[in-house]
Amino acid sequence: ARLGGDEDGSCCLSAMHWVLAAQLAMTAVGPLPRRALVEIGSEVVTVSVREGSEVICNLARRGDEVLGKALGRLERSLSKHKQGVAPVTCLDDLGLEIRRDTVNREAWRRASTLSTGVGEYVVAANPAKLDGLTCYGTPVVGVPLLATPKVTHGGLVDVSWLDASGVALAAGSKFRPSETRRGVRVQATLVDPDPCLRPDERSRTLDLGDVLDLAPRAWRRARSLGDKKNDALRVATYNVLADAFARRTAGCAPTATRAPLVLGELERLEADVVCLQEVDEALLDAFWRPHLDSLGYDATFAPKTGVSREGVATFVKRDVFAEATAAAVPLVAEDFENVHTVALIHLLRRKDDDVVAVANTHLYFASRATEIRAVQVSILLDALARLAPPDAPVLLAGDLNAFPDSTAIRHATDAGFRSAYDLANPKPTHHVAGFAATLDYILFRNFRLLRTLPLPDTPPGTPLPNADFPSDHFLLAADLDRVTLADDPPDRDILSDLGDGPG
């Protein structure tokens, strides 16, 4: 007997080696596992009797029906496939038979073994079941992908990240492609090792496309606030451009590509409070909430009051705030038509027991609706006066769709609010083809401004989004300190002291 290569290079095995190989294979595989997979629902109990991944029979019965009827039905079904089926019984962990007059819901919870006379099947009640795998976004260098399994009854953990040939790239729910993965096709896959599951039940795979080299280009002009003082509060506001509006913009990249770039900017900034506008409701749970949750944020969302499926979302850092309460305030009046604006107001209790009020909103957009926006600001200021403690530091952030010299902004400054960005010499925060304007603001009261995130020096009218910026608005951010009137006299011009750039 020999094991070697033939002249043509093929490998041959002697008869003895084939026998040994077959014996080893049988030992490695062993008998097919026998399981009874039981799903105990609120109304119905289903039983799937399996040998390996082969389904022998399925059964669905009412949860309040007695066990004996279910076992009789199983016995008849098994007899069609196997000879010698004896009365089918359910045994508990001690090997004792469960009474046949026990209702299904209770009986199958206690069951450990299904005995049939031709074999015993291990009962698995409400086993973890893989219902799906989601991962929104295009793979981009430097930006994390987050895969979220949808699992019933428990957790299936390890997600594997593979290239197109099946070579492992990483394991775990999050994968951040490096520059060395540029152009590599990425797949996310999740496999349940249970051998009694059918192939369609065992795994889910998502083909996410090739890794794009967009992040370094988008961050080439990266802006930074630097390190934050321990007691400072870092706040950011960003209109991220809803998908419905992006689709109407010629040459705009898909939201699946833009959203990861926005995420990359927010991750680098490490703000304590993030106010987003034009957040698609469909993407809140598919993208924004899970990604920002992984970065330590809790999320609150307030959709517009009309048929629009987008709104404002505020994310607050869990390790900065001990308590957070939120209220959605409609900014509408009886004589407003087709106005569906909402403000999201948070009262945040910091670890040092200091309470901060934060308002996030996106005011009505129509260019001629200056008086509507002025009324909306008045409604918002009244709500803040009702909800915020006296003399509490207050933030008002968002896309206000108002120019710096508008009545809406004057209402805010007349109420004691200051702007983190210079209103006397404003830089545009919003660019589309042929138009640029200052529309986004971080307004504050009872805070001292430490520094702001510089706005890019983009020529007016530069169409956004583009390869450098993922939205038609810029990200705004500021570091602020708690202040009292004694510390910060009204006649002091903080903006002229600190300028518009990092301090």
Side-chain angles (χ1 to χ4, degrees):
R2 65 187 179 89
L3 174 62
D6 288 340
E7 290 181 356
D8 62 0
S10 61
C11 185
C12 67
L13 285 172
S14 68
M16 182 181 294
H17 281 88
W18 279 116
V19 172
L20 290 173
Q23 290 175 341
L24 287 171
M26 291 176 64
T27 303
V29 174
L32 291 173
R34 294 178 170 183
R35 307 261 312 272
L37 305 181
V38 181
E39 179 83 16
I40 304 172
S42 58
E43 302 291 335
V44 176
V45 173
T46 62
V47 181
S48 182
V49 180
R50 303 188 180 192
E51 294 185 5
S53 61
E54 181 186 1
V55 178
I56 306 302
C57 65
N58 287 324
L59 176 73
R61 308 298 291 181
R62 291 199 324 270
D64 57 0
E65 184 183 73
V66 296
L67 174 64
K69 290 187 177 181
L71 294 180
R73 189 66 168 271
L74 279 174
E75 185 177 325
R76 291 192 294 273
S77 296
L78 287 170
S79 297
K80 297 177 182 178
H81 298 275
K82 294 181 175 292
Q83 298 293 324
V85 174
V88 177
T89 59
C90 270
L91 309 179
D92 63 17
D93 288 336
L94 299 177
L96 302 177
E97 182 177 350
I98 297 173
R99 290 172 57 95
R100 299 176 76 87
D101 59 358
T102 307
V103 296
N104 279 322
R105 190 179 298 109
E106 177 186 347
W108 290 104
R109 281 200 181 96
R110 292 169 49 199
S112 175
T113 305
L114 181 69
S115 180
T116 66
V118 292
E120 293 188 338
Y121 296 80
V122 176
V123 175
N126 288 343
K129 184 173 69 172
L130 177 58
D131 295 321
L133 180 67
T134 61
C135 181
Y136 182 84
T138 301
V140 175
V141 170
V143 179
L145 291 164
L146 186 64
T148 306
K150 294 182 179 179
V151 181
T152 305
H153 306 311
L156 297 170
V157 284
D158 293 331
V159 175
S160 296
W161 303 88
L162 313 173
D163 66 14
S165 61
V167 175
L169 302 174
S173 61
K174 186 178 285 191
F175 170 53
R176 188 187 303 270
S178 64
E179 289 190 15
T180 60
R181 303 299 185 189
R182 185 187 300 112
V184 172
R185 195 164 194 84
V186 175
Q187 295 179 335
T189 185
L190 185 64
V191 178
D192 187 334
D194 189 339
C196 287
L197 297 179
R198 301 190 307 270
D200 63 304
E201 297 173 318
R202 291 188 64 187
S203 66
R204 295 290 187 276
T205 298
L206 299 174
D207 189 343
L208 302 172
D210 297 344
V211 176
L212 303 180
D213 187 15
L214 297 180
R217 183 175 180 185
W219 295 341
R220 196 162 290 142
R221 296 189 234 169
R223 301 170 287 152
S224 174
L225 268 175
D227 295 332
K228 180 172 71 73
K229 285 177 55 179
N230 289 336
D231 54 349
L233 183 71
R234 179 166 292 181
V235 60
T237 183
Y238 206 169
N239 180 326
V240 297
L241 184 58
D243 187 63
F245 306 139
R247 291 173 184 271
R248 304 175 197 167
T249 305
C252 182
T255 301
T257 300
R258 295 186 303 103
L261 295 178
V262 171
L263 176 68
E265 289 190 84
L266 297 177
E267 186 179 31
R268 285 167 52 85
L269 187 64
E270 297 183 321
D272 302 314
V273 179
V274 176
C275 299
L276 300 185
Q277 302 86 45
E278 292 194 21
V279 174
D280 291 286
E281 192 169 7
L283 293 187
L284 181 68
D285 290 324
F287 183 82
W288 297 113
R289 194 191 301 272
H291 270 288
L292 288 166
D293 176 75
S294 73
L295 298 176
Y297 292 91
D298 287 330
T300 308
F301 176 72
K304 289 183 177 177
T305 58
V307 296
S308 176
R309 304 287 12 120
E310 51 94 2
V312 296
T314 302
F315 300 84
V316 299
K317 268 289 183 72
R318 287 188 289 269
D319 63 354
V320 174
F321 301 101
E323 183 182 358
T325 58
V329 178
L331 303 184
V332 297
E334 290 184 4
D335 55 344
F336 288 1
E337 293 184 7
N338 299 319
V339 176
H340 308 293
T341 309
V342 66
L344 187 56
I345 297 178
H346 274 76
L347 295 183
L348 305 173
R349 186 176 298 279
R350 301 181 71 174
K351 301 290 186 180
D352 59 7
D353 216 34
D354 197 14
V355 175
V356 178
V358 178
N360 174 17
T361 192
H362 185 191
L363 297 188
Y364 189 55
F365 67 93
S367 59
R368 296 182 180 180
T370 54
E371 292 307 313
I372 288 179
R373 285 187 286 273
V375 172
Q376 289 182 325
V377 169
S378 296
I379 296 172
L380 179 52
L381 293 176
D382 288 344
L384 285 169
R386 291 194 313 271
L387 298 173
D391 299 324
V394 181
L395 291 165
L396 197 169
D399 177 359
L400 305 187
N401 273 316
F403 299 143
D405 60 352
S406 65
T407 306
I409 301 303
R410 276 202 307 275
H411 280 350
T413 56
D414 288 346
F417 282 88
R418 297 178 176 181
S419 173
Y421 289 82
D422 192 350
L423 297 183
N425 299 288
K427 287 186 176 181
T429 65
H430 167 64
H431 288 254
V432 292
F435 176 78
T438 301
L439 302 179
D440 305 86
Y441 298 86
I442 296 174
L443 305 176
F444 62 89
R445 188 171 63 196
N446 294 335
F447 275 111
R448 177 188 290 111
L449 177 64
L450 300 178
R451 52 189 171 182
T452 56
L453 185 68
L455 288 170
D457 292 320
T458 303
T462 300
L464 299 182
N466 59 26
D468 292 303
F469 300 103
S471 177
D472 57 348
H473 292 251
F474 292 135
L475 168 67
L476 274 61
D479 283 352
L480 302 162
D481 240 349
R482 178 71 162 96
V483 72
T484 64
L485 291 178
D487 297 325
D488 187 24
D491 59 347
R492 179 181 163 208
D493 186 351
I494 293 179
L495 287 176
S496 63
D497 288 346
L498 294 180
D500 195 33

